[in-house]
Amino acid sequence: MQSAYQMVVIGAGPAGMAAAQTAARQGVEVAVIDEQPHPGGQIYRNVNASPLADIDLLGKDYVFGRQLVQGFEYAHLDYFANSGVWFLDRAGELGIVQDGVHRRVSAQRIVIACGAQERAMPFPGWDKAGVMTAGAAQILMKSAAMVPSEAPVLAGNGPLLLLLAWQYLRAGVRLRAIVDTAQSANRWPALRYFPQAIAASDYLFKGLKLVSAIRRARVPWFREASDLRALGEERLSALHFTCRGKPQHIDTTLLLLHQGVIPALQIAAAAGCETRWNSLQQCWQPQVDDWGQSSVDSVFVAGDAAGIGGARAAWLGGQLAGLQLAHQLGLIDAVKRDKLAQPIRKARARHLAIRPFLDTWYRVAESSLVPGDETLACRCEEVSVGEIRTLAAMGCTGPNQAKAFTRCGMGPCQGRFCGSTVEQVFASETAASPQQIGRFNTRPPLKPVTLGQIAGIAHNEQR
Amino acid sequence: MFKILGDTGEHLVVELDGDEVTVPAGVSVAAALLYLDRIPTRHSVVNGLPRAPYCMMGVCFECLIEVDGVVDQRACQLQVRAGQRLRRQLATSKVESA
Ligand code: FES
């Protein structure tokens, strides 16, 4: 690893790979830093190094990632796998831990392309051993060819839950039930966005294909489910819920949850990028212009890290960032940049056309975002929703003060999973919007790093 | 609780809580623990609640485990290696070592 690059990209998912390749093609000196052993991000994880005998099992959209990863592997750039960023600043200094060794790198420009994370789905018992995210289940399939050995329950709301069900059925996994928390009341408001969604009708057809395959397999499908509660002592034993007014009980040792994804904001927030609340997508996102440049001039945010748009839009968004960076670094003029960008913008707009429809159709119910008092908001420090609610009622000024009072958000995950719940509880208690409430401050270290690793910097720099 | 599809791949031997166990090669430590059905993988420090891997992508820190004598490593972000010494951070094992 050199000690300085023109451009450092954080994340080797579709947006990061695209930004890096596009800029490198124009002659920019690029390094890509990624936490995984192989490029592709979570969406295309292991696509070119799959342990599966047949990757078609996961569907066409996954297989599509092959060509993207191949192009990336041939690009003229430095790629660092198994590497995490634990520190960065506006001046372009980055602290990186690769395989336990700390290094410092400086960059004229940084592209943050660290994708999305699962939105928390808090309810009583969501912290039990045996409750996992749908994304985790997909990672096990992609990276280890692992599927449940006993029929799991899938619960929540959103396209990924249906995709997982479809993939499991193709892999011969039986499903115990789908406990669907989607609200039929969202359908009318969603129809308003239907005409524009037709431009991306391939997404609609795909959705219909998934639903009909699940129906054909006769998976018990509980709609409009609410009041979920996971039971069990040392590990999960059952799920309780209400469906159309009737209490239901299903014995299971594996419960897979999903209620949408949100931008992984940690690194952008630590870099000082301005963020805003997106009320349609019910999450925070960094403020970026239509090239992905953030409020900090030297920092770009691309792909789902800048707002949820899906893998294909992320790939195209990454290309736009790469072009603008090549321009700002003096390698292409504005005319060439705009000429290259025009078809990319057009294609990206088509992929994004489906989002308002999906975001509204799968809008998460208030009761799922602001659960009852006994639910754990912060799993790390074991702070309940009730404690946060009491603080809000007592006039606590917001998430950062709540942190000082309860240690909520101060555990090892640094608020990545409790942040949204804490904000939502404050917002509902004080009848304010999350934008007014604000979010947890983010400070380095962004990843665990030992003093020994930091002390080793000078040593590594001499080598 | 998880199995490998068409399991014909390589395996290797690691030490888990003092016993030798066979796990698939090329997977994360967290995946290996799920394959062995050894959950919970830890008890929480605050109230001793049983926990296990949750996100598998390095975000939640639920999968913390002791690896080769170093505690609080994210099992989902580490690959299994032959001879690795893994120890679940369970309340009972804490009592034993005290
Ligand atoms: S399972 Fe979430 S960090 Fe490892």
Side-chain angles (χ1 to χ4, degrees), chain A residues 417, chain B residues 30 52-63 74-77:
Chain A
F417 270 106
Chain B
Y54 174 70
C55 74
M56 293 298 287
M57 54 190 283
V59 182
C60 72
F61 289 70
E62 290 292 8
C63 61
R74 280 177 298 170
C76 69
Q77 300 294 298

Side-chain angles (χ1 to χ4, degrees), chain A residues 145 147 149 234-235 379 382, chain B residues 1 3 5 37 44 47 62:
Chain A
V147 296
S149 47
E234 273 299 277
R235 59 192 287 173
R379 302 165 60 117
E382 289 165 18
Chain B
M1 67 203 288
K3 63 177 182 194
L5 280 174
D37 200 18
S44 71
N47 290 313
E62 290 292 8

Side-chain angles (χ1 to χ4, degrees), chain B residues 16 20-21 26-27 29 35 42-43 45 51 60-61 67 72-73 77-78 82 87 91 98:
Chain B
L16 175 61
E20 288 201 338
V21 291
V27 306
V29 171
Y35 172 82
R42 69 177 181 110
H43 287 115
V45 184
R51 297 284 172 83
C60 72
F61 289 70
V67 181
D72 288 349
Q73 305 291 303
Q77 300 294 298
L78 284 174
R87 188 173 286 276

Side-chain angles (χ1 to χ4, degrees), chain A residues 35-37 42 45 52 57 116-117 120-121 126-133 135-136 139-140 143-150 168 171 233-235 253-254 257 376 379-382 412-413 416-417 447-448, chain B residues 1-6 24 26-28 30-32 34-35 37-62 64 70 72-74 76-77 79 90:
Chain A
E35 287 197 310
Q36 302 308 322
Q42 301 300 353
R45 191 158 168 167
L52 288 164
L57 185 73
Q117 67 161 81
M121 187 171 159
W126 73 301
D127 60 315
K128 291 206 183 297
V131 181
M132 302 177 76
T133 66
I139 289 169
L140 282 164
S143 69
M146 276 168 50
V147 296
S149 47
E150 283 165 55
Y168 272 172
E233 292 299 324
E234 273 299 277
R235 59 192 287 173
T253 54
L254 180 61
L257 303 180
L376 279 186
R379 302 165 60 117
C380 299
E381 294 293 335
E382 289 165 18
C413 98
R416 286 172 172 91
F417 270 106
K447 295 275 161 185
Chain B
M1 67 203 288
F2 282 87
K3 63 177 182 194
I4 297 203
L5 280 174
V27 306
S28 68
L34 294 168
Y35 172 82
D37 200 18
R38 296 287 274 267
I39 68 164
T41 54
R42 69 177 181 110
H43 287 115
S44 71
V45 184
V46 182
N47 290 313
L49 300 178
R51 297 284 172 83
Y54 174 70
C55 74
M56 293 298 287
M57 54 190 283
V59 182
C60 72
F61 289 70
E62 290 292 8
L64 299 179
V70 185
D72 288 349
Q73 305 291 303
R74 280 177 298 170
C76 69
Q77 300 294 298
Q79 299 289 108
L90 302 178

Side-chain angles (χ1 to χ4, degrees), chain A residues 393-416:
Chain A
M394 280 163 56
C396 171
T397 58
N400 287 300
Q401 205 180 52
K403 203 181 199 177
F405 286 140
T406 62
R407 291 195 51 83
C408 181
M410 286 170 83
C413 98
Q414 297 175 299
R416 286 172 172 91

